[in-house]
Amino acid sequence: MTRYVRFAGIHGPRWGVHDPDTNLVAPIDGAPWDGPASLPEPPLALTGLALLPPVTPTKIVCVGRNYREHAAELGNPLPSEPLLFLKPPSALLAPGGAIELPPESNRVEHEAELGLVIGRRVRRATADEVARTGAIFGATCVDDVTARDLQKTDVQFTRAKGFDTFCPAGPALVEGLHLADLFVALRVNGAVRQNGRTRDMVFSAETLVAFISGVMTLEPGDLIATGTPAGVGPLIPGDLVEVEVEGIGVLTNQVIAAASR
Ligand code: ZN
């Protein structure tokens, strides 16, 4: 298993390999999926780095109603094939960044999700090909922040899912996890709100990537949010939100009221 982090360097974003035992980050050349070469630079202390979302997506593809109990809690039937929508890359938020509650919504909710990060170009692949070719490079934690009231009133999900800061991701990109059975949890101010396992997903990670690749070409660095387990609920200013996925770590974000425009 290898842990990668993306961080703000002096000359722009960079990637590094994070050693959890020493908490040091060894900078690498290029992106992890390029076949990283370590650089002759001294390692950096993780605590001194400004972490960035560990993805560089041309698009963020999300999957709705992929856990039975979550579909039921919102009164929705289970889809017979994956239900897709997009979040714009401008919604990405770094670990430690603040989720801004927009004035257009009166009910913004959290959704803890396993995020898949694509490692090679994928087009019209089968689930088997996805599994064999390493199309899924690794995984991270995602909070699919949602303006629930706008999701109900708008026909499309674009506004409800697309506000700036509505896609926290991180803290690391981890290669080599057994994606089929990981716990996915979310806490608000320390209280557990969501607690699921990826084995309860209706469509597996490989099936989702195959299905999406039949619609749009997936590129290295693209992010796929695989749906949320039951327990979604509202966020208010001052909340501290933690998304935890087994083997990846904890993605922590504060909630603030939006700055006036
Ligand atoms: Zn979601």
Side-chain angles (χ1 to χ4, degrees):
M1 229 161 49
T2 310
R3 296 176 63 80
Y4 297 91
V5 292
R6 189 163 160 264
F7 59 95
I10 297 166
H11 302 294
R14 301 195 62 184
W15 288 93
V17 177
H18 174 222
D19 179 344
D21 294 329
T22 62
N23 230 11
L24 291 174
V25 174
I28 59 170
D29 205 7
W33 46 83
D34 294 334
S38 51
L39 295 171
E41 291 180 33
L44 307 162
L46 180 78
T47 47
L49 299 179
L51 291 184
L52 300 171
V55 290
T56 52
T58 65
K59 52 203 164 295
I60 301 166
V61 188
C62 303
V63 180
R65 303 173 200 166
N66 200 29
Y67 287 79
R68 227 162 243 99
E69 288 176 18
H70 170 63
E73 77 180 343
L74 294 184
N76 293 313
L78 273 188
S80 57
E81 46 186 13
L83 172 68
L84 305 182
F85 59 91
L86 294 169
K87 276 168 116 75
S90 49
L92 279 171
L93 180 66
I99 298 167
E100 293 184 18
L101 303 181
E104 291 81 1
S105 173
N106 291 313
R107 190 173 176 97
V108 172
E109 297 194 346
H110 54 76
E111 295 189 358
E113 310 200 1
L114 169 71
L116 309 175
V117 181
I118 298 298
R120 58 198 304 278
R121 179 172 287 185
V122 198
R123 183 166 183 276
R124 290 207 174 276
T126 63
D128 211 45
E129 287 163 350
V130 168
R132 273 192 291 108
T133 60
I136 302 170
F137 179 82
T140 190
C141 308
V142 173
D143 191 351
D144 173 20
V145 181
T146 303
R148 196 69 72 201
D149 48 353
L150 303 181
Q151 188 185 27
K152 286 179 179 137
T153 54
D154 292 0
V155 174
Q156 302 288 334
F157 287 3
T158 309
R159 184 166 66 138
K161 299 282 192 174
F163 286 99
D164 286 1
T165 75
F166 271 27
C167 193
L173 163 57
V174 181
E175 184 184 16
L177 290 171
H178 178 60
L179 302 176
D181 191 18
L182 300 173
F183 75 75
V184 177
L186 185 140
R187 296 179 289 274
V188 177
N189 305 324
V192 177
R193 293 259 191 100
Q194 296 186 267
N195 193 5
R197 296 203 70 93
T198 58
R199 66 167 180 241
D200 294 323
M201 295 200 309
V202 178
F203 301 104
S204 71
E206 291 79 13
T207 301
L208 291 173
V209 170
F211 182 84
I212 295 163
S213 80
V215 182
M216 60 192 90
T217 303
L218 291 169
E219 301 286 355
D222 280 353
L223 175 62
I224 295 168
T226 56
T228 197
V232 299
L235 296 172
I236 59 171
D239 280 346
L240 188 76
V241 190
E242 295 173 294
V243 177
E244 182 168 7
V245 176
E246 185 176 356
I248 296 170
V250 181
L251 167 66
T252 304
N253 298 94
Q254 286 249 310
V255 179
I256 61 170
S260 54
R261 41 185 91 209

